[in-house]
Amino acid sequence: MTDASTSDTTRNAQDIALIWKHTHNDFKGVFEGQRLIMYPAPRFCIGPIDGLSDKEFACKLKYARLKECCEKRDKALMPIMAKYDLVAMFQSTQQWRESFDSFRAFLSEINDDVVYGAIIKEIQEANIVFPNDAGVFWP
């Protein structure tokens, strides 16, 4: 994954679409067919994603990649959590999902070693990617 401090600021359509997807609806809109987002301080105006400075673009791309990784992780984890009737526990917090180790700590609340072991095995077999384990950090 690209770190916001690197010079990789190539503006390709895929990265622009990813930034758009993970920009909150309150901070984006469409005007005359053009996708616009709110620019960060000190400008506080709206403009196209490819109009961001290199630093701003890299920062927003880093955040979008993190959110994309989290979205894929949660989509892959949900069937496993449902299988063990842990959806309510899973949905009760967004914490404990940064890495596989932190998620294992979260699951340690389960007082059944057999179920705990089965869940861990399923997660490993599903090759679920956690952000920190993939090198996707924020900020």
Side-chain angles (χ1 to χ4, degrees):
M1 295 292 152
T2 303
D3 180 43
S5 63
T6 67
S7 61
D8 180 20
T9 57
T10 305
R11 316 285 172 111
N12 63 60
Q14 181 180 2
D15 289 345
I16 289 171
L18 190 64
I19 291 170
W20 175 260
K21 176 181 177 183
H22 292 291
T23 298
H24 191 281
N25 287 338
D26 289 348
F27 299 100
K28 67 182 180 181
V30 177
F31 180 72
E32 295 183 355
Q34 186 176 25
R35 293 177 168 181
L36 306 172
I37 64 169
M38 183 177 288
Y39 287 174
R43 294 185 283 172
F44 291 119
C45 61
I46 59 171
I49 293 169
D50 61 0
L52 292 165
S53 71
D54 287 349
K55 183 178 177 182
E56 292 165 345
F57 187 88
C59 186
K60 288 199 176 287
L61 182 57
K62 182 179 180 181
Y63 177 77
R65 287 177 173 162
L66 170 68
K67 296 306 284 183
E68 188 72 9
C69 184
C70 292
E71 187 178 277
K72 288 178 180 179
R73 173 208 59 210
D74 290 351
K75 184 177 180 180
L77 283 170
M78 188 57 76
I80 298 169
M81 296 295 100
K83 179 178 178 180
Y84 295 96
D85 197 28
L86 297 171
V87 172
M89 179 181 163
F90 181 69
Q91 291 179 332
S92 69
T93 181
Q94 289 292 316
Q95 297 177 340
W96 309 101
R97 300 186 198 181
E98 300 84 22
S99 68
F100 181 56
D101 286 341
S102 68
F103 197 68
R104 287 168 51 141
F106 172 69
L107 292 174
S108 69
E109 297 296 317
I110 299 169
N111 294 322
D112 184 329
D113 291 342
V114 173
V115 171
Y116 173 82
I119 294 170
I120 296 302
K121 183 179 178 187
E122 285 195 44
I123 292 170
Q124 290 172 324
E125 289 174 352
N127 294 315
I128 297 172
V129 176
F130 290 80
N132 289 4
D133 300 336
V136 182
F137 301 95
W138 182 259

